[in-house]
Amino acid sequence: MKCDLLIKDCSVMTPEFTIEDNRAIAIDGSRIVEIGPSAEMAAKYKPDETLSGKGKLCMPGLVDAHTHTCQQLLKGRTMDELPMIWSRILVPFEGNMNEADVRISAEMSCLEMIKSGTTAFADAGGVHMHQVAEAAVQSGMRAAITRSSIDIGDFLPDSMKQPLEQIIDNNEWLYRTYNGAGDDRVHIWFGIRQVMSCSPELIQAAAEKARQYNTGLHMHLAEHRDEVRYCLERYRKRPVEYLDSLGALGPNLLTAHNVVYSEHELEILKARGVKIVHCPRANFNSHGFPKTPRMVEMGISIGMGSDGASGSNLSLFDEMRVFRSGLHAYWGLPVFDPLVMPVNELLKMVTIGGARAMQLAHEIGTVETGKKADLILIDIDQPHITPTRILVNTIVESVTSRDVEDVVINGKIVMKNREVLTLDEERIMYESQTTMDAIARKAGI
């Protein structure tokens, strides 16, 4: 039987997070057509291309469910900075980027994500987002992209503000031009930057347009106490209550950060089917510890994001490790609960949880027959990984980005033996350095 690609002699992570050894995966077109014993599969299929999985674990590609590709060239800039970083540094930096700047920043983001095992990302929006869409198409990645949506905020530069009608018109143009691009890998969403920078009218308009186009809605929510105070002072409601009154909450809403919630707000989010995304390193550095154990208990869908590279990097393996340690220290140790954040829950967040946040759980997030072939192969034949008594535990605690050997997205090999096949790494590295310095000078930061 013919197939396009056969991954041979690998271990496979099942949807239940168990490990099956000596397996092969047959891929035809963009989908997994069969998973079975390696010897049987090799005899059954005649592939156009083979990929060796010897000494490797095949698992779902990681999903970065909240990032900022326009902030890639701020790497290392925001550590040891006083609040409010996003209004003092991040937004002014974005406001000084031209189209070429955005393109190289997005290419650099895609390059880093692929090399760290991320196959899909949700971008919260910036300027010139058509360039991000182009970079995603070029890289082979899967993406949910929106554009910056800011129409109010005395604390933000005027260069980043636009009238409501212009924001919506530009987002509709982006949707018409790029939704479904790259063999349907790129989807265009609508955006709400956050409640402090978007008028009630803009929030309602973005939510309505997302429903009209049957697409997603991406926003920052409950990131810090200033946001709660802002809503209480102006609207006599907490942020979730305020958004609910505007009709913005629903199963197509992806919310990033999610740190400062009341119990009542969590109940509303659960009832509306809102998708939660945590950004551990960004949250722990600036905002606090979310009520994630309670969210898991309630059955709320949770994904994980990097929040961009300005304060760290784009590795979701690093995010998992930091998240587990932070939640154990904050929620577990005081009550002697070592199971406050189980390994399987963390792995769900960076795979199927992120897929749910991107409205793609039916297509990606697990290694299963019939699903899209968005897969990564990790070199587990290394002293810091093997031997191990429980491999999934070791993945969370020990695997790094550099252990990712091969990446397959939509059935195509995008990285092989750590060489990215879709992007010119040498050019991107060089241009990123010169562009980084130029933008910083323009922004005065």
Side-chain angles (χ1 to χ4, degrees):
M1 188 180 297
K2 180 191 173 300
C3 69
D4 292 323
L5 175 63
L6 186 67
I7 304 173
K8 301 195 304 182
D9 304 320
C10 63
S11 298
V12 174
M13 179 184 288
T14 72
E16 294 76 32
F17 301 104
T18 60
I19 306 298
E20 296 180 347
D21 296 324
N22 301 314
R23 289 293 185 267
I25 302 170
I27 297 165
D28 200 51
S30 63
R31 297 189 182 274
I32 299 169
V33 293
E34 190 174 353
I35 304 169
S38 197
E40 293 179 15
M41 296 282 285
K44 180 177 181 179
Y45 285 95
K46 291 181 171 54
D48 292 339
E49 189 173 8
T50 60
L51 187 60
S52 173
K54 188 173 178 59
K56 300 174 185 176
L57 170 69
C58 181
M59 64 179 288
L62 308 187
V63 180
D64 190 335
H66 177 75
T67 192
H68 294 268
T69 59
C70 289
Q71 296 171 10
Q72 180 73 15
L73 302 183
L74 270 172
K75 185 177 288 186
R77 175 62 182 85
T78 58
M79 290 186 69
D80 297 334
E81 282 286 347
L82 298 174
M84 299 278 288
I85 290 170
W86 73 281
S87 60
R88 291 191 302 106
I89 300 174
L90 302 181
V91 173
F93 182 85
E94 289 180 28
N96 279 277
M97 298 177 78
N98 61 34
E99 290 195 33
D101 298 334
V102 171
R103 181 58 177 266
I104 191 63
S105 183
E107 288 176 349
M108 188 66 191
S109 295
C110 291
L111 180 64
E112 183 181 350
M113 282 190 279
I114 290 169
K115 299 200 80 167
S116 61
T118 295
T119 57
F121 68 93
D123 194 314
V127 295
H128 310 303
M129 293 304 291
H130 60 289
Q131 293 292 351
V132 178
E134 292 281 359
V137 170
Q138 176 190 357
S139 71
M141 293 193 72
R142 200 175 297 281
I145 295 168
T146 186
R147 67 177 307 282
S148 184
S149 53
I150 298 174
D151 68 339
I152 62 171
D154 295 338
F155 50 92
L156 295 171
D158 290 339
S159 62
M160 286 299 288
K161 298 174 192 172
Q162 291 179 322
L164 182 158
E165 295 78 9
Q166 186 176 354
I167 291 171
I168 297 299
D169 286 349
N170 288 343
N171 212 143
E172 287 186 296
W173 173 85
L174 192 67
Y175 183 94
R176 291 193 301 269
T177 308
Y178 286 100
N179 193 63
D183 297 323
D184 203 37
R185 287 182 286 105
V186 174
H187 291 167
I188 303 302
W189 288 25
F190 285 79
I192 302 167
R193 190 71 179 227
Q194 63 127 271
V195 295
M196 296 170 68
S197 60
C198 294
S199 66
E201 294 79 15
L202 176 55
I203 292 171
Q204 288 177 311
E208 177 55 35
K209 286 296 181 181
R211 287 190 291 268
Q212 177 185 329
Y213 285 93
N214 193 30
T215 191
L217 185 64
H218 193 151
M219 76 173 297
H220 299 75
L221 184 60
E223 191 170 354
H224 44 72
R225 286 175 293 181
D226 287 338
E227 182 182 335
V228 178
R229 184 173 66 245
Y230 177 92
C231 286
L232 289 173
E233 288 176 351
R234 284 162 178 77
Y235 310 117
R236 300 293 187 266
K237 295 179 176 68
R238 292 181 66 89
V240 170
E241 297 165 341
Y242 168 59
L243 290 169
D244 199 31
S245 73
L246 298 176
L249 302 184
N252 70 329
L253 176 61
L254 183 165
T255 59
H257 297 292
N258 304 283
V259 178
V260 283
Y261 283 137
S262 67
E263 283 293 308
H264 180 54
E265 286 177 293
L266 289 179
E267 290 169 1
I268 295 172
L269 292 170
K270 169 66 175 175
R272 301 290 181 266
V274 173
K275 307 304 187 295
I276 298 293
V277 175
H278 288 313
C279 303
R281 286 178 290 179
N283 291 348
F284 293 171
N285 286 334
S286 304
H287 310 308
F289 296 85
K291 296 180 177 179
T292 313
R294 175 68 176 135
M295 297 176 190
V296 171
E297 183 181 63
M298 294 175 70
I300 294 174
S301 177
I302 306 172
M304 196 175 292
S306 65
D307 200 32
S310 69
S312 49
N313 57 41
L314 303 182
S315 171
L316 294 181
F317 288 109
D318 288 352
E319 295 289 351
M320 276 196 295
R321 198 154 34 249
V322 167
F323 202 39
R324 182 177 185 275
S325 296
L327 291 185
H328 272 247
Y330 190 81
W331 294 110
L333 286 179
V335 295
F336 300 100
D337 182 3
L339 299 178
V340 70
M341 187 45 55
V343 161
N344 284 8
E345 293 297 336
L346 292 164
L347 288 169
K348 284 180 188 176
M349 291 177 198
V350 298
T351 55
I352 190 64
R356 290 191 192 105
M358 288 183 64
Q359 312 290 309
L360 290 172
H362 61 296
E363 295 281 35
I364 63 172
T366 55
V367 183
E368 291 185 84
T369 299
K371 280 201 167 183
K372 293 284 188 180
D374 286 17
L375 313 169
I376 61 175
L377 291 169
I378 298 169
D379 180 4
I380 57 175
D381 193 16
Q382 302 186 74
H384 67 289
I385 301 174
T386 301
T388 175
R389 298 298 297 271
I390 305 176
L391 181 56
V392 291
N393 292 356
T394 303
I395 290 167
V396 170
E397 282 295 339
S398 300
V399 168
T400 72
S401 296
R402 293 195 61 82
D403 299 321
V404 180
E405 284 286 310
D406 312 294
V407 174
V408 176
I409 306 175
N410 214 41
K412 304 291 191 299
I413 300 176
V414 174
M415 181 172 77
K416 186 174 184 179
N417 298 324
R418 290 206 58 76
E419 180 186 356
V420 177
L421 306 179
T422 54
L423 296 169
D424 185 340
E425 182 169 353
E426 184 177 357
R427 175 190 63 80
I428 293 169
M429 292 285 289
Y430 173 77
E431 291 184 10
S432 292
Q433 180 64 59
T434 56
T435 304
M436 173 186 282
D437 297 338
I439 306 171
R441 284 193 299 271
K442 285 188 291 184
I445 58 175

